[in-house]
Amino acid sequence: MTTELFPRPPLSVRTGAELAFALDRGLLTVLYQPVLELGRGGMVAVEALARLRDPTTGRLIGPAEFMPLAEASGIVGRVDRKVAHLAIPRAAAWRRLRSGLPFSVAINVSAHDLQDVGLPDRMSGLASRVGLPMNALVVELTETVLADAGEVQLDVLQRLVALDVNVTLDDFGTGFSSLTHLLTFPVRGIKIDRSFVREVGSGGRGEAITRSLIGLGSDIGVHVVAEGIETPEQLRLLRRYGCRLGQGYLLGRPMPAERITALLSGSSDRIPSPRPASAG
Ligand code: G
Ligand code: MN
């Protein structure tokens, strides 16, 4: 959640019909936030984040603001399909730019998506058309989505796993029965929620929990991504605690696809390493 200095103008899209019209007009876009390998600072993945361009103000609106309307008007599926259709071909092109080096794209899925029994086949059809291997795809879901999953949703998830998709638990530590999921479901990664990462450096419980989760991930053999890294001090300590992957405003804000392409095609694939905070 961001702290706003000024109140935001209200969203001008107010009805399901207006939202559907905005989608028809191509106003749904995707921003990509880098996930870095914290050791050497290379970009190894991006998370695809949906944004809606407000037709009146031109402002980019986050899912928290427009998803409730999408849900109420039954077009969440349309929004999520659009995100996958934009992100998967991009990811295939970025992997080619990386020529052989690892590069993945993470897509957020909702409880609603997992009710869609056509999802695994659609994702694998799209990925194979553009030449993206399924193990370059990360599907992020919250622990709560997994906890609430019924038979249909679990079946969809199992089919994604069978296709070699990396199922990852987002906002880890804030949902329910997280450890049971690690025991019973073939989760491949966890993203430590930024409410814990925020406390790294302050010596609070969040810091201890972050360290423990990094250890837990390595003990059970799942990827660990620290979310919401905002300060050089957090980065320094996370590296020291052995956290291999990270994401956050310090390392890269959500950005348009073209910026990711430019970063990956530059002379260095590294995001300029943030300098430690200077004394003066
Ligand atoms: O729940 P999830 O982790 O998928 O949420 C991603 C959202 O978090 C994005 O919309 C992005 O703008 C926001 N975000 C990404 N990095 C940071 C960060 O370093 N700090 C804060 N406060 N928010 C972030
Ligand atoms: Mn996410």
Side-chain angles (χ1 to χ4, degrees), residues 175-200:
F176 297 109
S177 348
S178 43
L179 299 181
T180 300
H181 293 140
L182 295 178
L183 195 60
T184 59
F185 195 84
V187 170
R188 291 235 184 108
I190 57 176
K191 296 184 82 172
I192 305 176
D193 189 70
R194 64 177 141 273
S195 57
F196 303 115
V197 174
R198 187 182 298 136
E199 292 195 359
V200 169

PDB file of all heavy atoms in Angstrom, residues 175-200:
ATOM      1  N   GLY A 175      -1.361 -15.268   5.507  1.00  0.00           N
ATOM      2  CA  GLY A 175      -2.611 -16.004   5.269  1.00  0.00           C
ATOM      3  C   GLY A 175      -2.834 -17.083   6.313  1.00  0.00           C
ATOM      4  O   GLY A 175      -2.404 -16.948   7.459  1.00  0.00           O
ATOM      5  N   PHE A 176      -3.481 -18.170   5.899  1.00  0.00           N
ATOM      6  CA  PHE A 176      -3.793 -19.248   6.840  1.00  0.00           C
ATOM      7  C   PHE A 176      -3.065 -20.537   6.510  1.00  0.00           C
ATOM      8  O   PHE A 176      -2.813 -20.840   5.358  1.00  0.00           O
ATOM      9  CB  PHE A 176      -5.300 -19.512   6.849  1.00  0.00           C
ATOM     10  CG  PHE A 176      -6.081 -18.328   7.328  1.00  0.00           C
ATOM     11  CD1 PHE A 176      -6.861 -17.591   6.448  1.00  0.00           C
ATOM     12  CD2 PHE A 176      -5.996 -17.913   8.649  1.00  0.00           C
ATOM     13  CE1 PHE A 176      -7.562 -16.490   6.876  1.00  0.00           C
ATOM     14  CE2 PHE A 176      -6.694 -16.811   9.091  1.00  0.00           C
ATOM     15  CZ  PHE A 176      -7.483 -16.093   8.204  1.00  0.00           C
ATOM     16  N   SER A 177      -2.769 -21.304   7.528  1.00  0.00           N
ATOM     17  CA  SER A 177      -2.209 -22.666   7.428  1.00  0.00           C
ATOM     18  C   SER A 177      -1.058 -22.788   6.443  1.00  0.00           C
ATOM     19  O   SER A 177      -0.951 -23.762   5.731  1.00  0.00           O
ATOM     20  CB  SER A 177      -3.266 -23.698   7.015  1.00  0.00           C
ATOM     21  OG  SER A 177      -4.549 -23.201   7.081  1.00  0.00           O
ATOM     22  N   SER A 178      -0.200 -21.776   6.432  1.00  0.00           N
ATOM     23  CA  SER A 178       0.868 -21.776   5.448  1.00  0.00           C
ATOM     24  C   SER A 178       1.739 -23.022   5.514  1.00  0.00           C
ATOM     25  O   SER A 178       2.074 -23.595   4.494  1.00  0.00           O
ATOM     26  CB  SER A 178       1.719 -20.544   5.648  1.00  0.00           C
ATOM     27  OG  SER A 178       1.938 -20.354   7.018  1.00  0.00           O
ATOM     28  N   LEU A 179       2.085 -23.468   6.707  1.00  0.00           N
ATOM     29  CA  LEU A 179       3.026 -24.580   6.789  1.00  0.00           C
ATOM     30  C   LEU A 179       2.394 -25.872   6.310  1.00  0.00           C
ATOM     31  O   LEU A 179       3.060 -26.712   5.701  1.00  0.00           O
ATOM     32  CB  LEU A 179       3.570 -24.711   8.212  1.00  0.00           C
ATOM     33  CG  LEU A 179       4.337 -23.463   8.687  1.00  0.00           C
ATOM     34  CD1 LEU A 179       4.868 -23.649  10.093  1.00  0.00           C
ATOM     35  CD2 LEU A 179       5.460 -23.110   7.730  1.00  0.00           C
ATOM     36  N   THR A 180       1.092 -26.027   6.549  1.00  0.00           N
ATOM     37  CA  THR A 180       0.395 -27.207   6.038  1.00  0.00           C
ATOM     38  C   THR A 180       0.472 -27.248   4.513  1.00  0.00           C
ATOM     39  O   THR A 180       0.674 -28.307   3.918  1.00  0.00           O
ATOM     40  CB  THR A 180      -1.076 -27.183   6.501  1.00  0.00           C
ATOM     41  OG1 THR A 180      -1.070 -27.194   7.922  1.00  0.00           O
ATOM     42  CG2 THR A 180      -1.833 -28.393   5.987  1.00  0.00           C
ATOM     43  N   HIS A 181       0.343 -26.075   3.893  1.00  0.00           N
ATOM     44  CA  HIS A 181       0.419 -26.057   2.429  1.00  0.00           C
ATOM     45  C   HIS A 181       1.769 -26.500   1.925  1.00  0.00           C
ATOM     46  O   HIS A 181       1.887 -27.177   0.912  1.00  0.00           O
ATOM     47  CB  HIS A 181       0.121 -24.655   1.898  1.00  0.00           C
ATOM     48  CG  HIS A 181      -1.285 -24.267   2.153  1.00  0.00           C
ATOM     49  ND1 HIS A 181      -1.657 -23.018   2.550  1.00  0.00           N
ATOM     50  CD2 HIS A 181      -2.407 -25.009   2.113  1.00  0.00           C
ATOM     51  CE1 HIS A 181      -2.956 -23.003   2.730  1.00  0.00           C
ATOM     52  NE2 HIS A 181      -3.423 -24.201   2.481  1.00  0.00           N
ATOM     53  N   LEU A 182       2.808 -26.098   2.667  1.00  0.00           N
ATOM     54  CA  LEU A 182       4.147 -26.494   2.245  1.00  0.00           C
ATOM     55  C   LEU A 182       4.318 -28.005   2.368  1.00  0.00           C
ATOM     56  O   LEU A 182       5.098 -28.618   1.661  1.00  0.00           O
ATOM     57  CB  LEU A 182       5.202 -25.780   3.091  1.00  0.00           C
ATOM     58  CG  LEU A 182       5.251 -24.257   2.915  1.00  0.00           C
ATOM     59  CD1 LEU A 182       6.298 -23.654   3.826  1.00  0.00           C
ATOM     60  CD2 LEU A 182       5.509 -23.886   1.463  1.00  0.00           C
ATOM     61  N   LEU A 183       3.543 -28.578   3.297  1.00  0.00           N
ATOM     62  CA  LEU A 183       3.625 -30.022   3.513  1.00  0.00           C
ATOM     63  C   LEU A 183       2.808 -30.793   2.470  1.00  0.00           C
ATOM     64  O   LEU A 183       3.218 -31.831   1.990  1.00  0.00           O
ATOM     65  CB  LEU A 183       3.070 -30.307   4.918  1.00  0.00           C
ATOM     66  CG  LEU A 183       3.332 -31.655   5.551  1.00  0.00           C
ATOM     67  CD1 LEU A 183       4.826 -31.889   5.702  1.00  0.00           C
ATOM     68  CD2 LEU A 183       2.660 -31.693   6.936  1.00  0.00           C
ATOM     69  N   THR A 184       1.656 -30.248   2.124  1.00  0.00           N
ATOM     70  CA  THR A 184       0.716 -31.046   1.331  1.00  0.00           C
ATOM     71  C   THR A 184       0.645 -30.657  -0.133  1.00  0.00           C
ATOM     72  O   THR A 184       0.072 -31.389  -0.932  1.00  0.00           O
ATOM     73  CB  THR A 184      -0.706 -30.924   1.913  1.00  0.00           C
ATOM     74  OG1 THR A 184      -1.068 -29.536   1.902  1.00  0.00           O
ATOM     75  CG2 THR A 184      -0.770 -31.451   3.322  1.00  0.00           C
ATOM     76  N   PHE A 185       1.203 -29.506  -0.487  1.00  0.00           N
ATOM     77  CA  PHE A 185       1.092 -29.086  -1.872  1.00  0.00           C
ATOM     78  C   PHE A 185       2.491 -28.805  -2.432  1.00  0.00           C
ATOM     79  O   PHE A 185       3.325 -28.225  -1.758  1.00  0.00           O
ATOM     80  CB  PHE A 185       0.214 -27.826  -1.983  1.00  0.00           C
ATOM     81  CG  PHE A 185      -0.208 -27.572  -3.390  1.00  0.00           C
ATOM     82  CD1 PHE A 185      -1.321 -28.205  -3.926  1.00  0.00           C
ATOM     83  CD2 PHE A 185       0.557 -26.751  -4.203  1.00  0.00           C
ATOM     84  CE1 PHE A 185      -1.667 -28.015  -5.246  1.00  0.00           C
ATOM     85  CE2 PHE A 185       0.210 -26.552  -5.534  1.00  0.00           C
ATOM     86  CZ  PHE A 185      -0.913 -27.184  -6.050  1.00  0.00           C
ATOM     87  N   PRO A 186       2.754 -29.232  -3.678  1.00  0.00           N
ATOM     88  CA  PRO A 186       4.114 -29.061  -4.222  1.00  0.00           C
ATOM     89  C   PRO A 186       4.439 -27.612  -4.584  1.00  0.00           C
ATOM     90  O   PRO A 186       4.694 -27.276  -5.735  1.00  0.00           O
ATOM     91  CB  PRO A 186       4.112 -29.961  -5.462  1.00  0.00           C
ATOM     92  CG  PRO A 186       2.691 -30.085  -5.859  1.00  0.00           C
ATOM     93  CD  PRO A 186       1.882 -29.973  -4.603  1.00  0.00           C
ATOM     94  N   VAL A 187       4.453 -26.752  -3.554  1.00  0.00           N
ATOM     95  CA  VAL A 187       4.803 -25.348  -3.725  1.00  0.00           C
ATOM     96  C   VAL A 187       6.280 -25.261  -4.100  1.00  0.00           C
ATOM     97  O   VAL A 187       7.106 -25.956  -3.524  1.00  0.00           O
ATOM     98  CB  VAL A 187       4.539 -24.604  -2.394  1.00  0.00           C
ATOM     99  CG1 VAL A 187       5.113 -23.210  -2.427  1.00  0.00           C
ATOM    100  CG2 VAL A 187       3.048 -24.575  -2.086  1.00  0.00           C
ATOM    101  N   ARG A 188       6.613 -24.397  -5.061  1.00  0.00           N
ATOM    102  CA  ARG A 188       8.018 -24.263  -5.477  1.00  0.00           C
ATOM    103  C   ARG A 188       8.680 -22.999  -4.938  1.00  0.00           C
ATOM    104  O   ARG A 188       9.880 -22.820  -5.094  1.00  0.00           O
ATOM    105  CB  ARG A 188       8.119 -24.236  -7.004  1.00  0.00           C
ATOM    106  CG  ARG A 188       7.778 -25.548  -7.654  1.00  0.00           C
ATOM    107  CD  ARG A 188       8.933 -26.009  -8.557  1.00  0.00           C
ATOM    108  NE  ARG A 188       8.582 -27.227  -9.258  1.00  0.00           N
ATOM    109  CZ  ARG A 188       8.323 -27.273 -10.563  1.00  0.00           C
ATOM    110  NH1 ARG A 188       8.402 -26.184 -11.308  1.00  0.00           N
ATOM    111  NH2 ARG A 188       8.009 -28.408 -11.132  1.00  0.00           N
ATOM    112  N   GLY A 189       7.865 -22.099  -4.380  1.00  0.00           N
ATOM    113  CA  GLY A 189       8.475 -20.870  -3.880  1.00  0.00           C
ATOM    114  C   GLY A 189       7.574 -20.151  -2.892  1.00  0.00           C
ATOM    115  O   GLY A 189       6.363 -20.399  -2.838  1.00  0.00           O
ATOM    116  N   ILE A 190       8.196 -19.273  -2.094  1.00  0.00           N
ATOM    117  CA  ILE A 190       7.423 -18.403  -1.212  1.00  0.00           C
ATOM    118  C   ILE A 190       7.932 -16.976  -1.387  1.00  0.00           C
ATOM    119  O   ILE A 190       9.115 -16.749  -1.631  1.00  0.00           O
ATOM    120  CB  ILE A 190       7.517 -18.823   0.279  1.00  0.00           C
ATOM    121  CG1 ILE A 190       8.965 -18.850   0.770  1.00  0.00           C
ATOM    122  CG2 ILE A 190       6.865 -20.184   0.500  1.00  0.00           C
ATOM    123  CD1 ILE A 190       9.106 -19.158   2.259  1.00  0.00           C
ATOM    124  N   LYS A 191       7.008 -16.023  -1.307  1.00  0.00           N
ATOM    125  CA  LYS A 191       7.391 -14.617  -1.330  1.00  0.00           C
ATOM    126  C   LYS A 191       7.094 -14.041   0.052  1.00  0.00           C
ATOM    127  O   LYS A 191       5.928 -13.984   0.463  1.00  0.00           O
ATOM    128  CB  LYS A 191       6.606 -13.871  -2.419  1.00  0.00           C
ATOM    129  CG  LYS A 191       6.944 -14.395  -3.819  1.00  0.00           C
ATOM    130  CD  LYS A 191       6.253 -13.596  -4.898  1.00  0.00           C
ATOM    131  CE  LYS A 191       7.005 -12.316  -5.215  1.00  0.00           C
ATOM    132  NZ  LYS A 191       6.419 -11.636  -6.417  1.00  0.00           N
ATOM    133  N   ILE A 192       8.159 -13.685   0.754  1.00  0.00           N
ATOM    134  CA  ILE A 192       7.996 -13.195   2.122  1.00  0.00           C
ATOM    135  C   ILE A 192       7.298 -11.844   2.070  1.00  0.00           C
ATOM    136  O   ILE A 192       7.774 -10.913   1.422  1.00  0.00           O
ATOM    137  CB  ILE A 192       9.353 -13.054   2.834  1.00  0.00           C
ATOM    138  CG1 ILE A 192      10.118 -14.379   2.787  1.00  0.00           C
ATOM    139  CG2 ILE A 192       9.146 -12.584   4.275  1.00  0.00           C
ATOM    140  CD1 ILE A 192      11.514 -14.286   3.397  1.00  0.00           C
ATOM    141  N   ASP A 193       6.182 -11.749   2.757  1.00  0.00           N
ATOM    142  CA  ASP A 193       5.381 -10.530   2.701  1.00  0.00           C
ATOM    143  C   ASP A 193       6.176  -9.318   3.168  1.00  0.00           C
ATOM    144  O   ASP A 193       6.964  -9.387   4.102  1.00  0.00           O
ATOM    145  CB  ASP A 193       4.125 -10.683   3.560  1.00  0.00           C
ATOM    146  CG  ASP A 193       3.177  -9.517   3.329  1.00  0.00           C
ATOM    147  OD1 ASP A 193       2.598  -9.446   2.230  1.00  0.00           O
ATOM    148  OD2 ASP A 193       3.046  -8.652   4.227  1.00  0.00           O
ATOM    149  N   ARG A 194       5.894  -8.181   2.517  1.00  0.00           N
ATOM    150  CA  ARG A 194       6.684  -6.987   2.839  1.00  0.00           C
ATOM    151  C   ARG A 194       6.452  -6.470   4.253  1.00  0.00           C
ATOM    152  O   ARG A 194       7.269  -5.706   4.762  1.00  0.00           O
ATOM    153  CB  ARG A 194       6.465  -5.886   1.808  1.00  0.00           C
ATOM    154  CG  ARG A 194       5.091  -5.334   1.729  1.00  0.00           C
ATOM    155  CD  ARG A 194       5.042  -4.194   0.695  1.00  0.00           C
ATOM    156  NE  ARG A 194       3.805  -4.250  -0.066  1.00  0.00           N
ATOM    157  CZ  ARG A 194       3.637  -4.965  -1.150  1.00  0.00           C
ATOM    158  NH1 ARG A 194       4.649  -5.662  -1.632  1.00  0.00           N
ATOM    159  NH2 ARG A 194       2.493  -5.003  -1.749  1.00  0.00           N
ATOM    160  N   SER A 195       5.381  -6.896   4.920  1.00  0.00           N
ATOM    161  CA  SER A 195       5.187  -6.459   6.303  1.00  0.00           C
ATOM    162  C   SER A 195       6.292  -7.018   7.212  1.00  0.00           C
ATOM    163  O   SER A 195       6.615  -6.420   8.234  1.00  0.00           O
ATOM    164  CB  SER A 195       3.803  -6.874   6.814  1.00  0.00           C
ATOM    165  OG  SER A 195       3.632  -8.270   6.709  1.00  0.00           O
ATOM    166  N   PHE A 196       6.886  -8.152   6.818  1.00  0.00           N
ATOM    167  CA  PHE A 196       8.029  -8.690   7.582  1.00  0.00           C
ATOM    168  C   PHE A 196       9.324  -8.031   7.123  1.00  0.00           C
ATOM    169  O   PHE A 196      10.149  -7.627   7.936  1.00  0.00           O
ATOM    170  CB  PHE A 196       8.132 -10.213   7.393  1.00  0.00           C
ATOM    171  CG  PHE A 196       6.882 -10.956   7.793  1.00  0.00           C
ATOM    172  CD1 PHE A 196       6.135 -11.647   6.847  1.00  0.00           C
ATOM    173  CD2 PHE A 196       6.449 -10.961   9.111  1.00  0.00           C
ATOM    174  CE1 PHE A 196       4.976 -12.320   7.210  1.00  0.00           C
ATOM    175  CE2 PHE A 196       5.298 -11.639   9.484  1.00  0.00           C
ATOM    176  CZ  PHE A 196       4.549 -12.320   8.525  1.00  0.00           C
ATOM    177  N   VAL A 197       9.483  -7.946   5.795  1.00  0.00           N
ATOM    178  CA  VAL A 197      10.726  -7.409   5.226  1.00  0.00           C
ATOM    179  C   VAL A 197      10.951  -5.964   5.686  1.00  0.00           C
ATOM    180  O   VAL A 197      12.079  -5.542   5.916  1.00  0.00           O
ATOM    181  CB  VAL A 197      10.694  -7.516   3.681  1.00  0.00           C
ATOM    182  CG1 VAL A 197      11.901  -6.837   3.049  1.00  0.00           C
ATOM    183  CG2 VAL A 197      10.613  -8.984   3.255  1.00  0.00           C
ATOM    184  N   ARG A 198       9.853  -5.226   5.833  1.00  0.00           N
ATOM    185  CA  ARG A 198       9.933  -3.832   6.287  1.00  0.00           C
ATOM    186  C   ARG A 198      10.725  -3.704   7.589  1.00  0.00           C
ATOM    187  O   ARG A 198      11.376  -2.707   7.835  1.00  0.00           O
ATOM    188  CB  ARG A 198       8.490  -3.336   6.515  1.00  0.00           C
ATOM    189  CG  ARG A 198       8.349  -1.862   6.819  1.00  0.00           C
ATOM    190  CD  ARG A 198       6.889  -1.483   7.072  1.00  0.00           C
ATOM    191  NE  ARG A 198       6.041  -1.727   5.915  1.00  0.00           N
ATOM    192  CZ  ARG A 198       4.828  -2.295   5.959  1.00  0.00           C
ATOM    193  NH1 ARG A 198       4.313  -2.694   7.112  1.00  0.00           N
ATOM    194  NH2 ARG A 198       4.140  -2.463   4.863  1.00  0.00           N
ATOM    195  N   GLU A 199      10.655  -4.724   8.436  1.00  0.00           N
ATOM    196  CA  GLU A 199      11.310  -4.643   9.753  1.00  0.00           C
ATOM    197  C   GLU A 199      12.756  -5.108   9.749  1.00  0.00           C
ATOM    198  O   GLU A 199      13.416  -5.088  10.784  1.00  0.00           O
ATOM    199  CB  GLU A 199      10.504  -5.442  10.782  1.00  0.00           C
ATOM    200  CG  GLU A 199       9.162  -4.798  11.049  1.00  0.00           C
ATOM    201  CD  GLU A 199       8.489  -5.329  12.310  1.00  0.00           C
ATOM    202  OE1 GLU A 199       9.054  -6.220  12.971  1.00  0.00           O
ATOM    203  OE2 GLU A 199       7.404  -4.825  12.606  1.00  0.00           O
ATOM    204  N   VAL A 200      13.234  -5.550   8.573  1.00  0.00           N
ATOM    205  CA  VAL A 200      14.628  -5.987   8.514  1.00  0.00           C
ATOM    206  C   VAL A 200      15.508  -4.768   8.759  1.00  0.00           C
ATOM    207  O   VAL A 200      15.383  -3.757   8.074  1.00  0.00           O
ATOM    208  CB  VAL A 200      14.946  -6.659   7.154  1.00  0.00           C
ATOM    209  CG1 VAL A 200      16.448  -6.863   6.988  1.00  0.00           C
ATOM    210  CG2 VAL A 200      14.204  -7.988   7.039  1.00  0.00           C
TER     211      VAL A 200
END
